[in-house]
Amino acid sequence: MNPIIAIVQRNLLNYVRSKGRVFGALFMSMFMLVMFSFLMKSSMSGLDAPMPYLISGVIIMSVFQVSVNNSSDILTDISSGYMKEVLVASIARTQISMGHILSGAVIATLQGVITMICGIVLGLRVGVLQIVLLAAVMLVSAMTFSAVGLFLATVSRNSPAFQTISSMIMMPLTFVSGAYIPTTMIPG
């Protein structure tokens, strides 16, 4: 079996088995979707159509946050000793990294697709081509931020440090990105 596929399958299985983690991630995305779609749309008076802008921002930010946070799995593997077993196996370290990056990207993209479906129910109007393009953007950004998260996790070496460092990076990026509020509406 391909080592990358084995790592992806293992991480996906671990994610699905963690019901609280799945529920928390989906609940937070749905909460943000409802909050920004209905409560914040009145504050977006400068936009012609605030709903698609807000919903798409929530979708991509949930992909961003989930892909970074899923990288904490490697810290669990390190602390449990599983990573030592993987490192002694005849697997290239790039394959281990790719397996973790791909598993985080798959999980984040699936959550983004679920959020997009809920967004369509709430009023997001998109065509088939736009859905395919949005899914492709979700996959590329999920892979990118899974790689960033994996880097942060391997540098920090423990969960509290990873959470602190990732929060220090994710919070400013979330608001500076313009996903929730257009950068043209920010004062100054």
Side-chain angles (χ1 to χ4, degrees), residues 13-127:
L13 187 62
N14 285 343
Y15 183 77
V16 170
R17 285 181 178 166
S18 177
K19 304 290 186 219
R21 196 167 148 198
V22 173
F23 174 77
L26 289 174
F27 176 78
M28 193 61 183
S29 293
M30 297 310 125
F31 175 75
M32 296 297 280
L33 191 64
V34 169
M35 186 177 80
F36 279 102
S37 298
F38 294 114
L39 301 177
M40 298 292 285
K41 76 176 178 181
S42 62
S43 67
M44 304 290 285
S45 58
L47 288 177
D48 294 333
M51 286 292 282
Y53 185 86
L54 291 169
I55 292 173
S56 59
V58 169
I59 291 169
I60 205 67
M61 281 294 109
S62 66
V63 169
F64 162 63
Q65 291 174 348
V66 168
S67 60
V68 171
N69 288 334
N70 275 333
S71 299
S72 66
D73 287 347
I74 199 163
L75 296 172
T76 305
D77 291 346
I78 291 171
S79 66
S80 70
Y82 177 77
M83 188 53 67
K84 286 182 183 178
E85 295 174 18
V86 172
L87 290 174
V88 244
S90 60
I91 302 171
R93 290 176 192 244
T94 55
Q95 290 178 318
I96 298 169
S97 298
M98 284 308 297
H100 281 282
I101 291 169
L102 284 176
S103 65
V106 167
I107 291 168
T109 303
L110 285 175
Q111 181 170 340
V113 168
I114 292 170
T115 308
M116 180 175 57
I117 291 168
C118 292
I120 290 171
V121 169
L122 290 174
L124 180 65
R125 302 286 173 236
V126 289

Side-chain angles (χ1 to χ4, degrees), residues 126 143 180:
V126 289
M143 288 184 69
Y180 298 131

Side-chain angles (χ1 to χ4, degrees), residues 127-161:
V128 175
L129 180 63
Q130 291 171 321
I131 290 173
V132 171
L133 289 174
L134 187 58
V137 168
M138 282 190 276
L139 183 62
V140 169
S141 63
M143 288 184 69
T144 302
F145 288 110
S146 287
V148 169
L150 184 64
F151 171 74
L152 293 175
T154 55
V155 168
S156 63
R157 292 286 185 189
N158 61 43
S159 287

